[in-house]
């Protein structure tokens, strides 16, 4: 049973470009969470999605950031017009069904903004 | 929102000794209390978790204790080994989101 998959593992963007990060949850999981980790810090919650629904986006910056989890395909975290402060590791996690609290993490995407 | 404090921020122990890391939280609605281990450049890995209806849980050398009244829970690692060296995070929360602590860098000295 493959774990949570994320791609790309490393992404380099110049200021002003767009970054798209993908997350495929574990097989049978329909809930996805995105977290951001700055160097030497803990993970910060960004958004919680179910298929075709955003359930909780209380941790998402109000501008430039968006997330989706379509009926088919991976979840996408999109960052428009990236700035140097967006450089971080972005982790997604998945859980199987509503009410389940255990989250399994992917390997992360390390975004570097030049 | 949830405020989480984790202590100590760094911990060095001799191989074979025990290590204890404590986490305090503020949101009484939190009902799920996991501990994650993260090695450098790797994903967080769940090592043990406990739910609010249980006071203690043990899995081989690792145990977690929960005091809901005082709003804190602790990670206990016995007979530490060099491969236990990593950053450990508590992450109290619920099915909607987890709030991570700032981490404890554990170093096990051979």
């Amino acid at each position: 049973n493959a774990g949570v998959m994320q791609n790309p593992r490393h992404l380099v963007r110049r200021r002003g470009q767009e970054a798209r990060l993908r997350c495929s949850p574990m097989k049978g999981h329909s809930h996805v969470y995105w977290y951001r980790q700055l160097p030497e810090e803990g993970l910060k919650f960004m958004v919680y999605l179910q298929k075709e629904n955003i359930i909780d986006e209380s941790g998402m910056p109000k501008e430039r950031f968006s997330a989706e989890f379509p009926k088919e395909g991976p979840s996408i975290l999109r960052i428009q017009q990236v700035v140097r402060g967006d450089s971080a590791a972005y982790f997604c996690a998945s859980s199987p069904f509503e009410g389940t609290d255990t989250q399994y993490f992917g390997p992360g995407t390390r975004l570097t903004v030049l | 929102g949830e405020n989480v404090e984790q202590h100590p921020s760094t911990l060095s122990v001799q191989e074979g000794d025990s290590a204890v890391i404590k986490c305090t939280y503020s949101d009484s609605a939190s009902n799920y209390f996991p501990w994650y281990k993260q090695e450098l450049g790797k994903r967080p890995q769940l090592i043990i978790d406990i739910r609010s209806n249980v006071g203690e849980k043990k899995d081989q050398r690792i145990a977690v204790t929960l005091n809901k009244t005082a709003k804190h829970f602790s990670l206990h690692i016995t007979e530490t080994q060099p491969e236990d060296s990593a950053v450990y995070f508590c992450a109290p929360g619920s099915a909607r989101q987890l709030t991570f602590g700032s981490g404890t860098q554990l170093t096990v000295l051979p």
Side-chain angles (χ1 to χ4, degrees), chain A residues 92-105:
Chain A
C92 81
S94 72
S95 65
F97 49 81
E98 188 164 4
T100 302
D101 40 35
T102 304
Q103 297 181 21
Y104 300 92
F105 281 81

Side-chain angles (χ1 to χ4, degrees), chain A residues 54-91:
Chain A
I54 297 174
I55 306 303
D56 183 347
E57 56 182 348
S58 58
M60 284 279 271
K62 293 288 184 277
E63 298 177 349
R64 301 189 297 108
F65 286 72
S66 62
E68 63 175 6
F69 189 15
K71 187 176 180 181
E72 301 290 338
S75 175
I76 306 285
L77 179 68
R78 182 182 178 203
I79 311 172
Q80 294 178 291
Q81 298 172 3
V82 296
V83 300
R84 290 221 173 98
D86 296 333
S87 295
Y90 291 83
F91 289 94

